[in-house]
């Protein structure tokens, strides 16, 4: 049950963005700020909110080249979970999951967070071993996860086909009951409204084209399509395009950008109770509150900046969905789209200072950063405000790629990316 203050409901009613009419559209940037965030996705808007709310830094601008939430935040399949293998990752993603649990109340904005459970299917002996290892590691780290037989998995998700004679039979599943979904655009708008109320400037249609540095090499501000904006602190949260932006300050990062795509069906009545993921056959599925089946595919195999994926990848995913859930065979697909995700060699993110004084980066979330939104935003704000990482993001440095202290979460991506 979500609770909203009666005053907010009276003042705003419940409209498209829960009644909020943004004042910032086409507002001109001020000449200077105490901090600038590049990228108006959930991570960037959230970082601005926590800078203002938790760290008292309110003279902040979020500069976005398009419209807020138009990047991966508004393009993802909204799966939220924290069942990662390594201690560092479990701490990071569970920090986020705990923040999700109170986010609608925190922002006084319904982000429609729904803990309907995330179930990961095992189709072969290797999957069983890997997922059982995750269950044990998660429990040691205080993260809920449990092993289900195929029959128990079907009880949890009745549309699931557990016929042993199909190509990829379901042999069992790992279930994180605290996992689930949220409404992606509401996350962007909820953070934007709350940040705006604290004095943050949100500047859309403002592309960063350069990073200016002073005589000592420290950050002095950003060159944008709407002119120069000065600031001694710049945080870059520009998923998919991070290396392009960081290159403006001559910082090189070990990132590759790939298209990742998703699609939705025509809307139907509630028919699918949870989230199901299958790494082995590259498919994941949930049902949105609008009734659409939300289906995600794998990444393209080649790096690219096109915001759509190869059709053969979507076709492969739909074949898998039809095998796992035969009742959906006759459903029509409404639309598909893609986003650009940036991926590090160990598939773990970077939330860190850079070698340039005053320049900070939050990137490398690959196919899995939506679930991290509140946690990443909070930790990034901490790193910018204090000029040092929070203990939770301290392991997620750029230097780990030099020192070899990798957090190799590749297998925990849950979808084969
Ligand atoms: P974004 O929302 O992409 O925000 C970055 C912003 O930076 C963009 O709005 C962009 O326009 C802006 N920008 C870029 N360059 C500039 C510039 N030069 N100047 C100004 N602004 C700039 N994660 C999950 O956890 N669960 C999932 O189920 C899931 N499914 C996914 C499915 C798909 C199809 C895709 C594409 C991604 C998925 N992800 C998922 C990953 C997740 O969407 C991202 O990791 C997350 O949303 C990143 O958030 P963000 O705020 O960092 O990035
Ligand atoms: O990280 O859970 C995830 C995910 C699901 C779909 C894309 N990423």
């Amino acid at each position: 049950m979500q609770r909203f203050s009666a005053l907010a409901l009276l003042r705003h009613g419940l409209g498209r963005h829960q009644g909020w009419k943004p004042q910032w559209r086409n507002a001109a940037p001020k000449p200077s700020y105490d901090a600038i965030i590049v990228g108006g996705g959930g991570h960037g808007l959230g970082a601005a909110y926590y800078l203002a709310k938790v760290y008292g830094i309110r003279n902040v601008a979020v500069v976005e080249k398009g419209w807020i939430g138009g990047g991966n935040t508004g393009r993802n399949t909204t799966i939220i979970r924290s069942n990662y293998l390594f201690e560092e990752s479990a701490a990071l993603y569970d920090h986020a999951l705990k923040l999700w649990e109170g986010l609608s109340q925190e922002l006084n904005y319904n982000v429609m967070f729904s803990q309907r459970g995330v179930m990961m299917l095992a189709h072969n002996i290797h999957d069983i071993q890997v997922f059982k290892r995750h269950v044990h590691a998660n429990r040691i780290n205080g993260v809920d996860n449990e092993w289900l037989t195929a029959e128990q998995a079907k009880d949890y998700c009745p549309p699931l086909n557990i016929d042993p004679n199909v190509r990829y039979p379901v042999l069992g599943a790992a279930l994180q009951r605290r996992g689930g979904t949220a409404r992606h655009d509401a996350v962007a708008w909820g953070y934007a409204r709350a940040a705006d109320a604290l004095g943050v400037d949100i500047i859309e249609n403002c592309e960063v084209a350069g990073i200016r540095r002073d005589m000592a090499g420290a950050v002095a501000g950003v060159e944008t399509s709407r002119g120069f904006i000065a600031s001694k602190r710049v945080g870059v949260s520009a998923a998919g395009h991070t290396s392009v932006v960081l290159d403006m300050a001559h910082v090189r990062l070990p990132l590759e950008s790939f298209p990742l795509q998703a699609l939705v069906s025509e809307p139907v009545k509630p028919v699918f109770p949870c989230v199901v993921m299958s790494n082995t056959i590259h498919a994941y599925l949930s049902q949105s509150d609008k009734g659409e089946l939300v289906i995600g595919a794998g990444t393209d195999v080649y790096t690219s900046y096109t915001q759509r994926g190869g059709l053969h990848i979507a076709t492969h995913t739909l074949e898998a969905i039809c095998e796992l859930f035969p009742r959906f065979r006759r459903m029509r697909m409404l639309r598909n789209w893609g986003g650009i995700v940036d991926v590090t060699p160990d598939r773990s993110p970077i939330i860190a200072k850079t070698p340039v004084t005053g320049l900070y980066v939050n990137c490398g979330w690959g196919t899995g950063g939506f679930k991290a939104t509140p946690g990443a935003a909070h930790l990034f704000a901490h790193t910018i405000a204090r000029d040092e990482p929070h203990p939770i993001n301290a392991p997620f440095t750029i230097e780990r790629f030099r020192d070899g202290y990798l957090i190799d979460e590749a297998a925990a991506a849950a979808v084969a990316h």
Side-chain angles (χ1 to χ4, degrees):
M1 178 70 186
Q2 309 292 342
R3 280 188 296 274
F4 300 96
S5 83
L7 185 64
L9 285 178
L10 278 176
R11 188 180 297 146
H12 302 301
L14 276 177
R16 175 162 149 61
H17 293 295
Q18 296 176 22
W20 176 52
K21 291 203 177 59
Q23 304 300 314
W24 73 69
R25 288 259 147 95
N26 298 319
K30 290 193 273 193
S32 81
Y33 289 91
D34 292 337
I36 293 173
I37 304 290
V38 181
H43 287 218
L45 293 161
Y49 168 74
Y50 292 113
L51 275 172
K53 175 82 192 292
V54 179
Y55 300 98
I57 302 174
R58 293 183 170 207
N59 184 26
V60 175
V62 178
V63 290
E64 163 56 50
K65 73 175 174 185
W67 64 96
I68 60 165
N72 290 341
T73 296
R75 293 164 184 269
N76 71 86
T77 47
T78 81
I79 297 176
I80 297 170
R81 58 189 176 86
S82 63
N83 52 355
Y84 281 67
L85 183 62
F86 291 99
E87 218 172 283
E88 297 86 344
S89 321
L92 177 64
Y93 290 98
D94 215 51
H95 177 58
L97 187 42
K98 287 179 185 135
L99 291 175
W100 277 114
E101 285 168 342
L103 196 60
S104 292
Q105 285 76 15
E106 166 84 20
L107 301 178
N108 195 24
Y109 198 108
N110 190 353
V111 299
M112 297 170 91
F113 178 52
S114 159
Q115 290 178 295
R116 57 187 68 181
V118 173
M119 200 162 74
M120 293 176 161
L121 303 179
H123 300 280
N124 52 49
I125 190 74
H126 175 74
D127 285 352
I128 294 177
Q129 288 168 346
V130 168
F131 288 144
K132 285 192 171 172
R133 186 176 172 211
H134 276 75
V135 168
H136 298 313
N138 287 163
R139 288 182 170 198
I140 287 169
N141 285 321
V143 173
D144 70 304
N145 199 355
E146 64 199 81
W147 178 252
L148 304 183
T149 62
E151 290 72 25
Q152 288 169 326
K154 187 166 176 66
D155 278 351
Y156 197 74
C157 182
L160 182 63
N161 179 16
I162 57 166
D163 181 343
N165 298 313
V166 294
R167 247 185 330 166
Y168 297 102
V170 175
L171 303 181
L175 171 66
Q176 184 177 27
R177 291 180 193 266
R178 285 166 64 233
T181 56
R183 179 159 171 153
H184 41 22
D185 59 341
V187 175
W189 281 81
Y191 272 123
R193 184 178 74 170
D196 175 63
L198 292 169
V200 168
D201 281 358
I202 298 168
I203 304 159
E204 297 179 295
N205 300 313
C206 184
E207 178 164 5
V208 170
I211 296 178
R212 196 183 286 182
R213 294 165 68 176
D214 65 18
M215 299 292 277
V219 159
V222 291
E223 313 283 354
T224 79
S225 51
R226 299 176 68 174
F228 175 71
I229 313 176
S231 183
K232 290 186 187 313
R233 285 186 280 211
V234 173
V236 178
S237 199
H241 298 84
T242 318
S243 48
V244 177
V245 179
L246 269 277
D247 193 49
M248 298 170 191
H250 309 294
V251 175
R252 296 198 64 216
L253 292 175
L255 289 173
E256 287 182 308
S257 295
F258 292 94
L260 175 65
Q261 63 179 305
L263 55 163
V264 289
S265 72
E266 58 189 336
V268 288
K269 285 188 174 169
V271 64
F272 201 77
C274 59
V275 180
V276 172
M277 310 183 68
S278 168
N279 188 352
T280 300
I281 56 178
H282 295 187
Y284 37 103
L285 181 66
S286 65
Q287 187 173 16
S288 74
D289 291 307
K290 281 195 287 185
E292 298 165 339
L293 295 181
V294 180
I295 298 171
T299 48
D300 279 19
V301 286
Y302 301 110
T303 54
S304 160
Y305 287 113
T306 54
Q307 285 192 314
R308 64 192 146 89
L311 193 57
H312 62 291
I313 301 217
T315 308
H316 171 82
T317 296
L318 288 175
E319 283 165 2
I321 295 288
C322 291
E323 183 172 298
L324 281 177
F325 308 102
R327 70 170 62 171
F328 296 144
R329 274 192 189 137
R330 295 176 61 195
M331 282 188 74
R332 280 166 293 207
M333 294 299 127
L334 265 194
R335 56 182 189 277
N336 79 325
W337 64 89
I340 306 298
V341 299
D342 50 27
V343 177
T344 62
D346 65 0
R347 270 44 182 177
S348 287
I350 300 169
I351 316 179
K353 296 170 67 169
T354 73
V356 175
T357 302
L359 183 64
Y360 307 87
V361 68
N362 166 46
C363 66
W365 292 94
T367 60
F370 179 71
K371 67 174 81 61
T373 303
H378 168 239
L379 300 169
F380 195 40
H382 179 104
T383 306
I384 296 168
R386 299 275 161 84
D387 194 36
E388 64 179 20
H390 186 283
I392 296 177
N393 67 301
F396 296 89
T397 60
I398 302 176
E399 289 74 28
R400 75 178 190 271
F401 301 101
R402 182 196 62 205
D403 302 341
Y405 185 71
L406 301 176
I407 306 167
D408 192 3
E409 281 289 348
V415 262
H417 299 317

